[in-house]
Amino acid sequence: DVVMTQSPLSLPVTLGQPASISCRSSQSLVHSDGNTYLHWFQQRPGQSPRRLIYKISNRDSGVPDRFSGSGSGTDFTLKISGVEAEDVGIYYCMQGAHWPYTFGQGTKLEIK
Amino acid sequence: EVQLVESGGGLVQPGGSLRLSCAASGFTFSNYWMTWVRQTPEKGLEWVANTHPGGGQRSHVDSVRGRFTISRDNARNSLYLQMNSLRVEDTAIYYCARDPFYGALDQWGQGTLVVVSS
């Protein structure tokens, strides 16, 4: 199975400051169709996960533009340009290039 | 509005069975792959199983293969997970989710809690 490794696992951030989460995969996530199926999810306290970004960098409708995704191959990053209080929660990367699809361990973002 | 509503969770003894259901509304259910994902504090999120829009193709993760079976009824807009031979380590919140392509889960239910304990 493809192992997804996130860092850091805990991310204390001051309001208004930027934040960055790394996600590395044990194999390339480039699918045979040429697409890279790396997605990011946010889970706020007490809520179900919610998709933020799909295929590396495509932001979902309603997701603030302070969220951005980048990367290629096996190395990916989620960035928040200026953290707001509503961003508190756990962030997961997930790969859909190889079965079984696998998630990272999650990064817990909190306000310092 | 898209809605996914899970039901069927509860407390069951090791070796027992449960059937989870997920009622879908607000979209054309038969057009989408559907998925079960589970979550535990220890292991985080784990993909459990998914099924093709027509129901003919199904995949299950190794840890549940042979014990769990995903199925769907497109006439009833419903997704199911039959769980047999339950183990303590199957204790989790189980979510159903819509998959437009390759794991890009764009809609999730609220989850249903399964506790396997004697």
Side-chain angles (χ1 to χ4, degrees):
Chain A
D1 297 0
V2 176
V3 177
M4 304 296 289
T5 303
Q6 290 183 229
S7 63
L9 298 185
S10 177
L11 184 54
V13 184
T14 301
L15 283 173
Q17 291 302 300
S20 180
I21 299 170
S22 170
C23 174
R24 290 191 166 91
S25 58
S26 60
Q27 299 178 37
S28 172
L29 300 186
V30 180
H31 192 269
S32 55
D33 67 6
N35 289 299
T36 300
Y37 294 110
L38 183 284
H39 319 300
W40 289 96
F41 298 88
Q42 175 196 58
Q43 187 173 30
R44 290 174 170 149
Q47 295 187 12
S48 301
R50 159 203 184 199
R51 194 181 74 186
L52 284 181
I53 287 173
Y54 60 95
K55 289 199 300 179
I56 304 176
S57 59
N58 295 276
R59 207 168 37 243
D60 269 275
S61 172
V63 174
D65 61 7
R66 63 180 179 273
F67 289 91
S68 64
S70 63
S72 64
T74 62
D75 200 347
F76 306 92
T77 303
L78 176 70
K79 291 184 178 175
I80 309 173
S81 59
V83 168
E84 299 192 6
E86 66 178 16
D87 300 337
V88 165
I90 304 176
Y91 292 80
Y92 297 92
C93 60
M94 199 224 79
Q95 67 83 19
H98 307 280
W99 180 259
Y101 302 159
T102 46
F103 291 90
Q105 319 97 299
T107 295
K108 187 171 186 178
L109 186 149
E110 61 179 26
I111 304 300
K112 205 186 290 185
Chain B
E1 180 196 4
V2 172
Q3 278 201 309
L4 297 170
V5 179
E6 301 95 335
S7 60
L11 174 63
V12 61
Q13 292 190 336
S17 297
L18 275 179
R19 188 194 196 207
L20 305 184
S21 299
C22 172
S25 60
F27 66 102
T28 305
F29 181 72
S30 59
N31 284 353
Y32 288 87
W33 285 80
M34 294 297 297
T35 293
W36 287 100
V37 173
R38 65 185 179 184
Q39 184 172 33
T40 64
E42 300 79 24
K43 294 180 69 176
L45 293 168
E46 180 184 26
W47 198 281
V48 175
N50 66 359
T51 178
H52 181 274
Q57 182 180 342
R58 316 172 196 185
S59 296
H60 302 79
V61 72
D62 283 351
S63 58
V64 309
R65 191 172 296 127
R67 301 187 299 122
F68 292 11
T69 302
I70 189 172
S71 64
R72 64 192 297 161
D73 184 338
N74 286 343
R76 288 184 164 81
N77 292 334
S78 292
L79 179 72
Y80 305 103
L81 187 66
Q82 178 65 46
M83 304 189 295
N84 299 331
S85 303
L86 281 159
R87 303 169 180 168
V88 170
E89 56 265 33
D90 296 319
T91 295
I93 298 172
Y94 285 74
Y95 295 100
C96 88
R98 186 176 80 171
D99 185 1
F101 56 86
Y102 295 100
L105 305 178
D106 66 344
Q107 300 290 337
W108 296 65
Q110 84 288 351
T112 187
L113 177 62
V114 172
V115 177
V116 185
S117 174
S118 53

